[in-house]
Amino acid sequence: MQKPEANTAASNSIDLTHVQSEFLSGVSHQLRTPINAILGLTHLALAQADSEQQRQYLVNIQSTSRQLMHSVNNLLDLSRLEQGTLELVPANFQLKSLLDDVTQDVITRLGKRAVEFTLTTDERIPATLNGDASRLKQLINCFIDNAIKFTQQGEIRLQVRMAARNRKSIRLHFILEDTGSGLPPGLGMALFRNSEKTLEAGSSENQKKGIGLRIARLLAQLMNGDAGIITPQSPGAAFWFTVQLRPAQTAEHSCTEHWSGQKNLSVRDDSGHQASIAEVLPPRRRPLPGAGTSIELLMADLQQRLLLEDFSCLELARRHAAALENYLGTDAIRLRSALHDFDFTRARLILDDHRDA
């Protein structure tokens, strides 16, 4: 007699999860457009700031907007992961380049904090691998974000080992340890299941763990791996995760998507007025290269603009879409996505991976 009721409850639970995921996805998409506009317009305003005070206000707006965009992206990724609609975009990449980028980001974020970051890698790992480099970096950063948040002094250690290898796959094992405030007793794997969990970060003040670890485990599982907690230690915390990648592919498939969407990049103010990037960018100190520019010079110029977070890189990519697609192949899809999200760090990583491949 209870079976139909149990089946109905299970069905209702699945439907509720689906509705929640759809809601998160819709809200995230609605928020991204105005945030992108704020980021773009703030960048333009910074180039014309008349005083240091104005510049500081704009820098604060820019920093806060990026934090908000990061949170929105997390919501969207969580929604896609829970619905099973997030797809990996595999391509050849250099693991060293990816880890160098992670290291530089960590050093920048730690600033003057008395925390040392150390990275050790297994020499047996091939230099070039095949997988979704941007999602792997996101997975690593989910754990690093947590370590940085709860470690005010001491050390953060990242280890990368090769767990298994055959002709078709390479399994990597990551361990991240910190000397922060540690984990409350008995919390364990609940951290990966419940995004509402709170931690007693070494004081009476509760701090939210956020959805980062939930996303991390789902990403690891999407890459045919998993994630977990190493036996709690004091002081600090230690996490592990595994991913399955492939040996570098010798032949890349041709790009199946075009850059047509990139041609519509724009900034929009809160009144709904829209203008193309080319129209609103102020006069450039460095003109955009012409159609006859060699691909080497084009790539170097694009890398430099990305490094400086110069929004003119969007117009540069739009003008030379065909050349970039021919040169980058399948990586053009990933670059287009990164630029659409204003994720210049990920865009640089994609170009670095292609150059080193």
Side-chain angles (χ1 to χ4, degrees):
M1 292 291 293
Q2 293 182 351
K3 270 191 173 181
E5 295 178 1
N7 291 337
T8 301
S11 176
N12 290 340
S13 177
I14 292 173
D15 289 343
L16 180 59
T17 300
H18 180 73
V19 170
Q20 288 175 336
S21 295
E22 287 287 346
F23 174 75
L24 284 175
S25 179
V27 170
S28 298
H29 278 298
Q30 290 296 322
L31 288 173
R32 287 165 65 87
T33 298
I35 297 173
N36 280 338
I38 293 170
L39 284 168
L41 293 169
T42 302
H43 174 83
L44 300 179
L46 273 169
Q48 303 176 44
D50 294 329
S51 68
E52 184 58 33
Q53 186 180 42
Q54 287 181 355
R55 181 174 181 80
Q56 189 57 52
Y57 289 156
L58 290 168
V59 167
N60 290 339
I61 293 173
Q62 190 178 62
S63 175
T64 304
S65 299
R66 284 175 176 164
Q67 291 175 18
L68 181 57
M69 177 63 83
H70 179 69
S71 298
V72 170
N73 285 338
N74 277 344
L75 284 174
L76 185 57
D77 285 340
L78 181 60
S79 170
R80 289 172 175 170
L81 285 164
E82 290 183 336
Q83 291 185 72
T85 58
L86 192 149
E87 296 182 0
L88 299 176
V89 183
N92 287 351
F93 71 95
Q94 299 286 317
L95 182 62
K96 181 181 184 301
S97 177
L98 185 150
L99 294 175
D100 285 348
D101 205 53
V102 168
T103 300
Q104 188 58 51
D105 287 346
V106 173
I107 292 173
T108 300
R109 293 177 61 190
L110 288 175
K112 298 181 179 180
R113 199 184 305 182
V115 178
E116 180 183 3
F117 177 75
T118 59
L119 168 68
T120 58
T121 57
D122 192 330
E123 294 181 354
R124 298 173 298 167
I125 301 175
T128 305
L129 298 168
N130 184 273
D132 192 325
S134 64
R135 292 300 179 183
L136 177 58
K137 182 183 176 186
Q138 180 184 5
L139 172 54
I140 296 171
N141 279 333
C142 283
F143 288 98
I144 286 181
D145 288 347
N146 179 69
I148 291 176
K149 180 178 180 180
F150 292 100
T151 307
Q152 298 303 315
Q153 61 181 1
E155 187 178 10
I156 297 174
R157 300 180 293 273
L158 176 62
Q159 302 176 49
V160 188
R161 303 172 181 170
M162 187 165 69
R165 178 179 183 178
N166 56 41
R167 288 192 305 167
K168 295 184 178 180
S169 67
I170 297 172
R171 181 170 292 274
L172 299 184
H173 185 260
F174 294 77
I175 297 176
L176 186 73
E177 302 170 286
D178 66 63
T179 57
S181 55
L183 302 173
L187 198 56
M189 293 300 291
L191 284 171
F192 294 97
R193 294 190 297 269
N194 185 359
S195 63
E196 298 299 323
K197 283 290 180 182
T198 58
L199 293 180
E200 295 285 343
S203 71
S204 60
E205 184 179 323
N206 289 332
Q207 297 191 29
K208 293 261 178 151
K209 196 66 161 170
I211 61 178
L213 293 181
R214 171 67 175 159
I215 291 173
R217 192 178 189 199
L218 290 172
L219 277 175
Q221 292 172 342
L222 185 63
M223 298 181 189
N224 297 315
D226 206 347
I229 300 173
I230 299 175
T231 304
Q233 54 186 5
S234 182
F239 297 89
W240 63 268
F241 65 92
T242 58
V243 296
Q244 182 174 299
L245 304 170
R246 295 191 299 169
Q249 305 299 295
T250 55
E252 298 280 3
H253 299 292
S254 60
C255 184
T256 56
E257 282 192 39
H258 297 284
W259 282 64
S260 56
Q262 194 66 24
K263 296 177 182 178
N264 297 322
L265 279 173
S266 60
V267 292
R268 184 192 302 270
D269 65 22
D270 55 8
S271 62
H273 299 128
Q274 184 170 324
S276 71
I277 288 289
E279 291 170 353
V280 298
L281 280 174
R284 304 178 185 88
R285 296 177 182 175
R286 296 163 52 215
L288 294 175
T293 306
S294 70
I295 192 63
E296 290 81 9
L297 290 177
L298 175 61
M299 293 293 286
D301 193 4
L302 183 56
Q303 279 278 28
Q304 182 66 16
R305 293 173 195 267
L306 289 170
L307 183 63
L308 297 173
E309 296 192 345
D310 183 346
F311 275 59
S312 64
C313 66
L314 304 174
E315 174 66 8
L316 178 63
R318 186 196 68 80
R319 284 194 186 185
H320 297 273
L324 288 171
E325 182 178 328
N326 291 335
Y327 179 71
L328 294 173
T330 54
D331 283 339
I333 302 172
R334 299 166 60 217
L335 180 63
R336 179 168 68 102
S337 174
L339 291 177
H340 184 269
D341 293 343
F342 291 82
D343 191 339
F344 296 152
T345 298
R346 179 155 60 100
R348 284 194 293 112
L349 179 63
I350 292 167
L351 296 183
D352 285 341
D353 292 340
H354 192 90
R355 178 195 62 198
D356 296 335

